[in-house]
Amino acid sequence: MTIYDVAREAGVAASTVSRAFSRPGRVNAATAERIREAAGRLGYRTNPLARALVTTRTHMLALAVPDVTNPVFAEVIRGAQAAAGDAGYTVLLADAQESGVRERASLERILSVVDGVVLAGSRMSDSAIRMLAKQKPVVVLNRAVVDVPCVVTDNERGARLVAEHLAGLGHESLAYVAGPEASWADGARWTALREAAADLGLQVRRHGPCTPDVPGGLRAAGELRGRSATAVVAYNDQQAIGLLRGLTAQGLRVPRDVSVAGFDDIDAAALVTPGLTTVAAPLRAEGTTAVRHLLAMVQGAAGHTGAPLVLPVRLVVRGSTAQRRRKRTSPASGTTRVSGSAR
Amino acid sequence: MTIYDVAREAGVAASTVSRAFSRPGRVNAATAERIREAAGRLGYRTNPLARALVTTRTHMLALAVPDVTNPVFAEVIRGAQAAAGDAGYTVLLADAQESGVRERASLERILSVVDGVVLAGSRMSDSAIRMLAKQKPVVVLNRAVVDVPCVVTDNERGARLVAEHLAGLGHESLAYVAGPEASWADGARWTALREAAADLGLQVRRHGPCTPDVPGGLRAAGELRGRSATAVVAYNDQQAIGLLRGLTAQGLRVPRDVSVAGFDDIDAAALVTPGLTTVAAPLRAEGTTAVRHLLAMVQGAAGHTGAPLVLPVRLVVRGSTAQRRRKRTSPASGTTRVSGSAR
DNA sequence: CAACACATGGCAACCGATTGCCTCGGCTCC
DNA sequence: GGAGCCGAGGCAATCGGTTGCCATGTGTTG
């Protein structure tokens, strides 16, 4: 089923068939109708590859994520997918598997067939990204890279919200469990948290780096043992959940003995016990805005490489944070439970 | 950077360059080396689209999933991605958003550029799938469709394992919370559970259908209120987690008053309290085997359309199931807690 | 030494669209 | 009535590879 078959069926030249589809108005309405009908009869579908070969537009976008199984990115993917689909674009996923090298490799493979790239939580170096941005339109998500269009969440405000929340509960000494070193968001969150803490007169210590997953949080719980912090803020929710479990396993009670908070508000945050207090990021929206920006660039607009576009966050308070209690007595032994409201 | 540039640089014809890459042995080793070197110098990358246009092989595969954000499929995606990557193939994701119609639509869009399709948990009708399989190589995951190659998990054995586990704990009356009607796996699980229950002399009632997510489980918990079942098996882990919360909210204790089990063993199953007893499916392996089969077909092998390939499961016992207790006294009031082992 | 096989490389058609340029007929306008 | 314009459609080149077929040169064999 090629354009030539349709042309023969409709009694016109192939070029006319092509125009009938891609350039409405360029051919006579009646002829166009006749062609469309012939195409329908033959079940003709235009071959995207052939088209792409000459137009150099594939209508495909690359989306690189550090880990497909990370629920944070699952939502981002869905958002990106939706926005792309609406515009008639298809998303190619590049799973970096938490490695800058593999990220480069999988991008390398698909780079030549896509019209643009969204880098979500990229583990590549700034210069590698800038290099990439020279070849194809690129939008970076959750990271700021000079000279490249970026979309980020409001980490500053998020960190400040947690800090204020914890300060309001009487906590004076915080711990921050860090994410991967290559993560820009980690830096942003830590810096903002430290500043907010300073403003509020709180102590805050950094631990890590730890892997941004549940095991990472578990390990962090071990390292935190015996520290004086009465509240722990984790780089992300998975770590925070790991913390919840690790601290509990040590005989500590959350939030009675120690408060825990995370970032992102993944689904699981509401499912663990106690529910996790966290800074909710508009994950779906991150995906859609990134793609929309990218599409704007692909379609001509010179990507504004100024300040990153900042998406708002909000604090979701659940059961994992509570009023600070004066000194815990014997942290390890099982004391009589009083009532234990799950929230 | 085209093949012609390389040809000029190396002092040979374009066809020779092409052969140097795609048909090793067809050109003299020395010449091939010279060409490869010239290509390297120019930074030449072969254009997949141009190649695909004539070979009709794009080296891309479609993977349709009902929901990208569902952790079950996240793992499947990762497995598929890996297997495809190893073979030099790229995966295009088609998010069906839990709808047969949207599934068809997104497939429609990418069908013409892929060499084959993996349908994971498809919501389409059997006939629609068979139709599709006529146009392109198709492998169906977690569903049996006659005349189409299938890869499924051992639902029979899984259901039997849970049933035996629960029977061993003294339970005599089970409830099954059903998944989406369009889900083949739901039918398989329910049928097998019923049969196993019959063999073991257990009662079992079916409730639903319910959506295969946490809210679905929550709703099911409401409907279950006042039933006599002392153990509930859910279609999947998300529902089971919903049940956990819903039942707890009703004042019931899991596993003291009622045991809960799920299917799949998603990450979150180990994170909730109590931990969820569940039938672990080899999610990653599902993705890889499906893709490997598909690739075999794409590369010539006539997909064996006989009995589906069955992947083994195993039962993971956690804290959500326990010995049945003689009649609960007053299910709603908060009784004195005894010790509450978390596992 | 003729005849033939074989290894190697070039020529040119082709995949299925898109698009610049040209032609042709009908109209308008002066 | 002729110049000029416009709408509509066709021709053919082009995108960047692949591949069937042929030409050449070298080695092998009888």
Side-chain angles (χ1 to χ4, degrees):
Chain A
M1 265 330 84
T2 80
I3 210 173
Y4 295 92
D5 300 316
V6 179
R8 195 173 328 113
E9 177 84 7
V12 294
S15 48
T16 307
V17 177
S18 172
R19 282 193 275 256
F21 287 118
S22 53
R23 199 126 345 163
R26 179 63 174 74
V27 319
N28 184 299
T31 330
E33 184 46 42
R34 193 150 43 89
I35 291 173
R36 205 151 298 142
E37 187 191 308
R41 209 176 316 134
L42 267 50
Y44 165 79
R45 322 242 50 179
T46 143
N47 180 333
L49 277 72
R51 185 213 297 280
L53 185 56
V54 34
T55 59
T56 66
R57 287 268 124 92
T58 59
H59 287 238
M60 299 197 203
L61 266 26
L63 172 60
V65 297
D67 179 4
V68 225
T69 64
N70 182 328
V72 171
F73 297 111
E75 285 292 336
V76 173
I77 292 171
R78 166 160 276 200
Q81 197 94 259
D86 289 351
Y89 278 71
T90 302
V91 173
L92 291 198
L93 221 52
D95 187 358
Q97 295 169 71
E98 292 290 352
S99 135
V101 185
R102 275 190 291 267
E103 184 174 353
R104 268 213 78 68
S106 34
L107 270 178
E108 198 67 50
R109 167 172 297 151
I110 58 178
L111 194 59
S112 55
V113 303
V114 298
D115 293 342
V117 180
V118 174
L119 255 29
S122 178
R123 299 284 183 258
M124 300 194 302
S125 69
D126 273 27
S127 63
I129 293 179
R130 232 172 278 125
M131 195 105 292
L132 182 65
K134 290 222 168 63
Q135 303 177 44
K136 295 264 175 180
V138 169
V139 169
V140 177
L141 199 52
N142 270 327
R143 170 162 175 173
V145 179
V146 259
D147 294 340
V148 180
C150 298
V151 174
V152 302
T153 54
D154 197 343
N155 287 305
E156 283 67 32
R157 192 167 137 70
R160 185 161 298 270
L161 285 173
V162 205
E164 286 171 357
H165 170 65
L166 292 172
L169 291 171
H171 295 275
E172 293 167 354
S173 175
L174 315 184
Y176 173 73
V177 174
E181 302 215 58
S183 162
W184 178 87
D186 177 65
R189 288 169 188 181
W190 164 239
T191 307
L193 186 64
R194 196 177 35 183
E195 286 178 7
D199 292 352
L200 295 162
L202 310 180
Q203 301 283 332
V204 54
R205 294 196 42 152
R206 181 175 213 248
H207 295 269
C210 302
T211 55
D213 46 24
V214 174
L218 275 168
R219 222 166 313 118
E223 294 178 19
L224 249 34
R225 177 193 290 273
R227 297 317 183 110
S228 59
T230 58
V232 186
V233 177
Y235 161 67
N236 73 4
D237 285 349
Q238 282 102 305
Q239 278 186 348
I241 291 174
L243 277 169
L244 242 42
R245 301 187 67 75
L247 294 171
T248 305
Q250 284 174 32
L252 293 173
R253 300 256 184 74
V254 177
R256 192 179 194 270
D257 301 323
V258 51
S259 286
V260 173
F263 271 86
D264 294 341
D265 192 26
I266 61 176
D267 285 349
L271 302 179
V272 292
T273 314
L276 186 65
T277 293
T278 185
V279 176
L283 301 176
R284 185 93 43 115
E286 291 178 25
T288 59
T289 42
V291 164
R292 278 206 264 270
H293 267 239
L294 185 58
L295 285 179
M297 292 169 62
V298 167
Q299 281 152 16
H304 83 122
T305 58
L309 183 71
V310 179
L311 264 27
V313 299
R314 56 183 227 290
L315 183 70
V316 176
V317 178
R318 296 202 182 88
S320 69
T321 50
Q323 196 74 30
R324 175 192 168 208
R325 307 179 48 116
R326 308 265 125 228
K327 272 273 164 270
R328 45 198 200 285
T329 45
S330 64
S333 71
T335 47
T336 16
R337 177 91 166 243
V338 184
S339 100
S341 74
R343 187 209 142 65
Chain B
M1 267 326 86
T2 80
I3 209 174
Y4 295 93
D5 300 317
V6 179
R8 194 173 329 114
E9 176 85 7
V12 295
S15 47
T16 307
V17 177
S18 172
R19 282 193 275 257
F21 287 118
S22 53
R23 199 124 350 159
R26 179 61 174 74
V27 318
N28 185 301
T31 334
E33 185 45 44
R34 193 150 42 88
I35 291 173
R36 206 151 297 140
E37 186 191 307
R41 209 175 317 133
L42 267 51
Y44 165 78
R45 321 244 52 177
T46 140
N47 179 333
L49 278 69
R51 186 213 295 279
L53 185 55
V54 36
T55 58
T56 66
R57 287 269 127 91
T58 58
H59 286 238
M60 299 198 202
L61 304 176
L63 172 59
V65 297
D67 180 3
V68 226
T69 63
N70 181 328
V72 171
F73 296 112
E75 285 293 336
V76 173
I77 291 171
R78 165 160 276 200
Q81 197 93 261
D86 289 350
Y89 278 71
T90 301
V91 173
L92 290 199
L93 221 52
D95 187 358
Q97 295 169 71
E98 294 289 353
S99 134
V101 186
R102 276 190 290 266
E103 185 174 350
R104 269 210 79 68
S106 29
L107 271 178
E108 197 69 49
R109 166 172 297 151
I110 60 177
L111 194 60
S112 55
V113 302
V114 298
D115 293 343
V117 180
V118 174
L119 255 30
S122 177
R123 299 284 183 259
M124 300 195 301
S125 69
D126 274 27
S127 63
I129 293 180
R130 232 172 279 126
M131 195 105 293
L132 182 66
K134 291 222 167 62
Q135 301 176 45
K136 296 264 174 179
V138 169
V139 169
V140 177
L141 199 53
N142 269 326
R143 169 163 175 173
V145 179
V146 259
D147 294 339
V148 180
C150 298
V151 175
V152 301
T153 53
D154 198 343
N155 287 305
E156 284 67 32
R157 194 167 136 68
R160 184 161 297 272
L161 286 173
V162 205
E164 286 170 358
H165 170 65
L166 292 172
L169 291 171
H171 294 276
E172 293 166 355
S173 175
L174 316 183
Y176 174 73
V177 174
E181 302 214 58
S183 162
W184 178 88
D186 177 65
R189 288 168 188 183
W190 162 239
T191 307
L193 186 65
R194 195 176 37 181
E195 286 177 7
D199 292 353
L200 295 163
L202 309 181
Q203 302 282 334
V204 53
R205 294 197 40 153
R206 181 175 213 246
H207 293 268
C210 301
T211 55
D213 47 22
V214 174
L218 274 168
R219 224 165 311 117
E223 295 178 19
L224 249 35
R225 174 194 292 275
R227 299 315 182 113
S228 59
T230 58
V232 187
V233 177
Y235 161 67
N236 72 5
D237 284 351
Q238 284 100 307
Q239 279 186 348
I241 292 173
L243 276 169
L244 243 42
R245 301 185 68 74
L247 294 171
T248 306
Q250 285 174 32
L252 294 173
R253 299 255 185 73
V254 177
R256 191 180 195 269
D257 301 324
V258 51
S259 286
V260 173
F263 271 86
D264 296 338
D265 193 26
I266 60 176
D267 285 348
L271 302 179
V272 291
T273 315
L276 186 64
T277 294
T278 184
V279 176
L283 300 175
R284 184 95 39 119
E286 291 177 27
T288 59
T289 43
V291 163
R292 277 207 264 269
H293 266 239
L294 186 59
L295 286 179
M297 293 170 60
V298 167
Q299 281 152 16
H304 83 123
T305 58
L309 183 71
V310 179
L311 264 29
V313 298
R314 56 182 226 289
L315 183 70
V316 177
V317 178
R318 296 201 183 89
S320 69
T321 50
Q323 196 76 29
R324 174 192 168 208
R325 307 180 47 112
R326 306 268 125 224
K327 273 273 163 271
R328 44 197 201 282
T329 44
S330 63
S333 70
T335 46
T336 17
R337 176 92 168 242
V338 184
S339 97
S341 75
R343 186 199 145 77

